[in-house]
Amino acid sequence: VYARDAFRWAPLLALREGSLKYIDAPKPELYDLSADPHERINLISKNPGQAVPLKRRLDALQKRYATGHSLPSRDTSPETLARMRSLGYLSGGGHAASATNAPDPKDRLPEYQKFERGLDALYSGHIINAVATFQSILAADPHNLPARGNLGDALLKLHRDNEALRQWQLALHEDPSFAPADEAIGEYWLSQGDFARAKPSFEHMVQSEPADYQAQFDLGLVDRHLGLDREAAEHISAACRLVPESAACTARTAR
C-alpha cells in the first residue's frame, strides 16, 4: 500500500493459492509459479477464468480484515518518523486513491526510481542534483507530493527559503492533509523564531493526527514561547505520553 499512501497510485494486493498467484491492480496479473517462479509471463489474458475465483477470494479477505490507517506504534522514534515522512510513508493521504481510478504502480516504476535517485542525492549532500531530479519528476507529474515536499527540503538547504515555502504551500493546496508540508513549514518558522507563524502548522497536524509525537512536542514549544504555559504543558505532556523514551522527554523527567 506504499504506492497508494505515498503517491496516490493504486495499491497492489496479491493472493496465492497453490501454484497460482493473482495480483490485483488496474492491470491485473496472474502467474503460475511452478512453471514461472520469477513471474515473467502474465497469464491473465490467456486464462482470465482462472483469475476470477482468486479475485473474489481476495476481495472477501479485504473486507474481512479491513483496517483503518494509523501511525506507527508508539515506540517509533521521532527520528524514524521524520525519515518515514520524507519517503512518503506518513503523507496524510486525505485523497487516497482506489485501484479503479489510480495509476498502476508498475507503469510508474521509472518515476519511482527517479524519486529514489532524488532522495539519494538529497541525503548524500548532492543538493543541486536533488533539486533537478525532483523538478524533473514534477514537470511530468505535478501531483507527486513526496517529490514536491522533498524539493522544498532541498531548496531550503540551498537557502532558497521562499521557494521552499512555496513548494510546501503548493503541496498543502493540493492535499491539506499532507503532513510533511505542514511539518516543514512549522519547523521553518520555529527555526526563524517566528512562533506565531509556526503555530498554525503544528495545530493543523495535531488536529489531523493527535498521536503525532513531533507535532505535539513542537506545538508545546511554540506555545511556551508565546506565553501559553497551560497549553504548552498539555501538548508536551501528550508528546511524552506517546514517546516517553525520547531524549527530550527523558531529560524532562530527570529534572
Side-chain angles (χ1 to χ4, degrees):
V1 294
Y2 173 49
R4 177 196 66 194
D5 294 345
F7 300 99
R8 295 186 290 180
W9 301 338
L12 291 176
L13 302 168
L15 176 70
R16 177 175 174 176
E17 287 190 353
S19 66
L20 291 179
K21 179 177 178 180
Y22 172 73
I23 300 176
D24 193 30
K27 297 177 182 177
E29 301 164 66
L30 178 68
Y31 300 102
D32 182 351
L33 299 180
S34 62
D36 179 24
H38 298 292
E39 302 179 17
R40 291 177 173 142
I41 303 171
N42 186 358
L43 301 173
I44 196 75
S45 59
K46 183 179 179 180
N47 300 311
Q50 286 184 303
V52 172
L54 298 176
K55 164 69 171 170
R56 289 175 179 163
R57 174 71 172 145
L58 183 57
D59 288 345
L61 287 168
Q62 283 184 258
K63 291 178 181 178
R64 181 177 177 183
Y65 295 106
T67 58
H69 299 292
S70 63
L71 283 170
S73 59
R74 60 183 291 278
D75 61 349
T76 300
S77 71
E79 294 78 13
T80 300
L81 289 175
R83 175 65 171 158
M84 291 177 72
R85 273 213 180 89
S86 75
L87 294 170
Y89 282 106
L90 308 180
S91 61
H95 307 289
S98 71
T100 57
N101 65 6
D104 193 309
K106 54 185 171 283
D107 294 337
R108 296 298 183 95
L109 184 57
E111 180 176 342
Y112 174 73
Q113 291 170 331
K114 184 179 285 189
F115 175 73
E116 286 286 297
R117 291 196 297 273
L119 286 181
D120 287 342
L122 178 61
Y123 286 105
S124 62
H126 298 93
I127 309 304
I128 293 176
N129 287 342
V131 168
T133 302
F134 292 133
Q135 287 176 332
S136 175
I137 292 171
L138 291 167
D141 179 11
H143 305 297
N144 190 319
L145 295 184
R148 193 171 295 286
N150 281 284
L151 174 58
D153 293 344
L155 289 167
L156 187 65
K157 288 180 181 293
L158 294 176
H159 306 291
R160 294 160 62 177
D161 298 17
N162 289 336
E163 293 176 69
L165 288 167
R166 174 64 175 161
Q167 293 302 322
W168 298 325
Q169 289 161 353
L170 285 171
L172 286 172
H173 178 74
E174 177 158 340
D175 183 356
S177 70
F178 187 64
D182 257 330
E183 182 177 41
I185 292 172
E187 293 287 355
Y188 173 79
W189 290 119
L190 186 60
S191 71
Q192 300 297 307
D194 195 330
F195 306 111
R197 285 188 176 183
K199 184 176 172 66
S201 294
F202 295 131
E203 283 183 326
H204 188 218
M205 290 181 69
V206 167
Q207 289 167 2
S208 300
E209 183 46 70
D212 187 318
Y213 162 88
Q214 199 63 52
Q216 289 279 10
F217 196 87
D218 286 341
L219 182 54
L221 291 180
V222 165
D223 281 342
R224 180 184 293 168
H225 283 287
L226 292 174
L228 303 171
D229 294 339
R230 179 180 61 81
E231 293 89 340
E234 288 175 355
H235 291 298
I236 292 175
S237 294
C240 291
R241 285 194 299 272
L242 292 165
V243 188
E245 68 275 18
S246 70
C249 294
T250 302
R252 180 172 177 259
T253 303
R255 286 199 300 268

